[in-house]
Amino acid sequence: MSGDPENSEHPEPPERAATTARADEFLAGLRDWLAIPSIGVDPAHPGDVARSAAWLAEARRADGWPDVRVWDEGPAPPAVYAHWPSADPDAPVVLVYGHHDVQPVDPVERWTRPPFEPTLVGEELFGRGASDDKGQVAMHLLGVRAHLAATGRTTPAVTLKLFVEGEEEGGSPHIARTLADHGPELDCDLVVFTDTPLYSREAPTVCTGQRGVYGAEVVLTGGATDVHSGRAGGSIPNPATALARLVAALHDEDGRVQLPGFYDHVVLPTDVERADYASLPFDEQVWLTNSGRARGLSGESGWSTLERVWVRPTAEVNGLVAGYTGPGLKTVVPADARVKLSFRLVPGQRPEHVAEALREFVDAHTPEGLRAEIVSRGDGVPPYAVDVAHPAVGAVRDALEGAFGKPVRFSRTGGSGPAAVLHETLRVPVVYFGVALPDDNIHAPDERVVVPLLLSGAEALAVLWRTLPERLASGEPPA
């Protein structure tokens, strides 16, 4: 308030004032966008994915972006590209990545409110896509507007490009082709990847990496049909027993994965990162509750829980089926047995190398008389981690600290995304900028986003665009 001595001594940052002034309009627009059921993996919704892309494109044009296009030439669902050149000839070029497709809503009966009728309850906005990822993409719309208003500029201080795809929830199967087809348009100096969470509202963090993933199904086959166990049991190999032994051999007593060479090229986090992880508040009971009400912690020896899910590779059994599983007892030796596996990968590992190691492991654990088949579930997703000493990481962290008014530490996320593909194709660093929360119920009923976090994120983005050119030019690392 004007004339208030305290406010006169500590005036509100211009980016905050610019963000606050546009908050109501921002929220109304986001609710309109969330009402579009852009479920990319559902063949019943291609028209809705196209409508979602059209909404975003029009919103960009309304905000003054001079070059906005919808890429709908296929085979990927429609993506949105936008370009706003800076008037400064030496300005860095920054590509913002996000996605506008959303997860299916099943089981819909578990939603407290209709998933595509966005509902504001206090500070929380409920609806599919509110956190993952429409809310965070819309945050960028507001951030650019706040940046221009706070600085009085008519163009951003950085040349901004936007790439918002429509198939991330399906694993981005065509992103490499899209990047190759549109290489000149996507050429940049830096990627800002917006699809990650904070550690918590009380302990904000900047993500510095995501794990990769490789998935496969292993099938052990004996005969052509199930056989009566009284007639043949004990005389032929049992695929279910062999598969149980194979799965049991997947880890040693310390929880380490036993695929040959699995850890050979693993890149460890820095001491700075591990110190930050250790300093984050961690409540074991809360973690267990949020992990499906698990009854206890487990994992690789010598690493904390956060390190196990952020910076260590894993092997998980996702499903295991063999023989008769109906009511009662059916005494058979099953003809086959199968297990679905997924491996989360960390920097230094590659999906194709893990696929080779899995083949070697399965061959070594398949008894004579059984045939082993491995079916890979796609090519997998490589892991990625940015160098925490990169000046852009410091600029992101400082901008978030100013907006949140709290220290911001480093974290990672155990999930996967196309950051590595962006990095390897565009040959530039990828930094993360996200303000979602781990308990936003993404991919689950009652997804929500905390609106003040989106507003703080937009404020931080407005600061980032103003400060990034100088930080990159000076090469100044994080404090």
Side-chain angles (χ1 to χ4, degrees), residues 21 43-44 69 88 94 130 162 164 176 209 248 264 278 314-315 324 354-355 394 428 438 452:
R69 308 175 216 170
D88 301 337
V94 180
L162 177 79
V164 181
D264 284 356
T314 64
Y324 178 72
V354 173
V428 297

Side-chain angles (χ1 to χ4, degrees), residues 230-466:
R231 188 182 69 80
S235 69
I236 59 174
N238 187 313
T241 302
L243 189 69
R245 289 175 175 153
L246 183 151
V247 169
L250 197 58
H251 300 86
D252 68 11
E253 294 180 355
D254 293 321
R256 288 176 61 85
V257 179
Q258 294 301 288
L259 268 60
F262 189 70
Y263 297 94
D264 284 356
H265 303 290
V266 165
V267 177
L268 300 179
T270 65
D271 291 342
V272 171
E273 290 174 284
R274 293 195 73 181
D276 271 10
Y277 307 159
S279 70
L280 290 169
F282 179 81
D283 186 308
E284 179 178 327
Q285 193 53 54
V286 170
W287 183 272
L288 293 173
T289 299
N290 292 338
S291 301
R293 297 190 179 92
R295 292 182 173 85
L297 297 175
S298 181
E300 184 184 0
S301 299
W303 298 88
S304 71
T305 298
L306 294 181
E307 289 172 331
R308 288 169 179 167
V309 297
W310 287 349
V311 299
R312 298 303 292 166
T314 64
E316 295 294 343
V317 175
N318 308 132
L320 197 156
V321 179
Y324 178 72
T325 60
L329 179 65
K330 185 178 181 182
T331 54
V332 297
V333 175
D336 58 48
R338 60 191 63 222
V339 61
K340 294 181 185 292
L341 302 171
S342 64
F343 300 84
R344 292 291 172 172
L345 314 180
V346 298
Q349 296 180 304
R350 300 289 303 183
E352 59 270 24
H353 297 161
V354 173
E356 294 172 3
L358 178 62
R359 163 55 65 188
E360 186 176 343
F361 176 84
V362 170
D363 287 347
H365 290 81
T366 300
E368 186 176 349
L370 296 182
R371 183 181 74 250
E373 180 185 11
I374 301 175
V375 180
S376 294
R377 299 305 178 188
D379 295 330
V381 177
Y384 177 76
V386 66
D387 181 357
V388 296
H390 192 281
V393 176
V396 169
R397 189 170 72 172
D398 289 350
L400 287 170
E401 284 187 347
F404 287 123
K406 298 176 181 178
V408 172
R409 288 166 279 193
F410 293 131
S411 67
R412 294 197 194 180
T413 179
S416 305
V421 178
L422 290 163
H423 167 67
E424 293 171 2
T425 305
L426 302 177
R427 300 183 182 276
V428 297
V430 177
V431 298
Y432 294 89
F433 190 108
V435 297
L437 292 175
D439 58 353
D440 276 348
N441 296 324
I442 67 170
H443 297 205
D446 286 343
E447 181 180 349
R448 65 92 205 255
V449 73
V450 178
V451 174
L453 293 183
L454 290 180
L455 298 179
S456 293
E459 175 191 338
L461 285 167
V463 173
L464 178 66
W465 304 142
R466 171 172 58 82

Side-chain angles (χ1 to χ4, degrees), residues 193-242:
F193 187 103
T194 297
D195 190 15
T196 52
L198 307 168
Y199 179 71
S200 71
R201 191 170 182 176
E202 295 73 27
T205 53
V206 55
C207 179
T208 61
Q210 293 174 291
R211 293 193 293 186
V213 65
Y214 167 72
E217 183 172 9
V218 178
V219 183
L220 298 185
T221 303
T225 64
D226 293 352
V227 180
H228 190 294
S229 65
R231 188 182 69 80
S235 69
I236 59 174
N238 187 313
T241 302

